[in-house]
Amino acid sequence: MNDVLYMDKGRVTIPKDYRDRRGLADGDTLLFLETKSGALILKPINAKPEMTLVQHLKRFKVVEIPEMKFHGAPRT
């Protein structure tokens, strides 16, 4: 268990070993929760899905969506 220092403007530094283990990077969003017992929980919110909806649906062999064959690379 690591001690965390509470700083001005409500800033808290998450220890590097925890950030590395959870894959946190600058700009990531965390959900702040408080339990009934008063414990504070920071839960990472994955803002970038690992795959698109089409990629996810392609994993299922029984699902056929005609539009999937026309799906190209996302626009930038």
Side-chain angles (χ1 to χ4, degrees):
M1 185 162 128
N2 292 352
D3 292 336
V4 176
L5 180 63
Y6 177 81
M7 299 168 49
D8 64 332
K9 299 182 183 180
R11 296 179 186 167
V12 175
T13 301
I14 300 170
K16 182 165 178 22
D17 56 330
Y18 289 109
R19 293 191 316 257
D20 291 344
R21 195 173 335 143
R22 298 297 295 170
L24 296 175
D26 288 345
D28 284 353
T29 303
L30 303 171
L31 180 62
F32 187 81
L33 303 168
E34 182 178 4
T35 65
K36 289 182 181 180
S37 65
L40 302 177
I41 300 171
L42 291 174
K43 181 177 179 182
I45 298 174
N46 188 2
K48 300 175 189 172
E50 293 178 11
M51 61 181 78
T52 66
L53 176 61
V54 172
Q55 291 170 332
H56 177 71
L57 291 175
K58 283 183 178 180
R59 295 178 4 177
F60 300 101
K61 302 289 183 200
V62 295
V63 177
E64 286 191 29
I65 300 176
E67 290 83 5
M68 286 175 56
K69 64 183 173 185
F70 300 111
H71 181 71
R75 295 181 189 173
T76 56

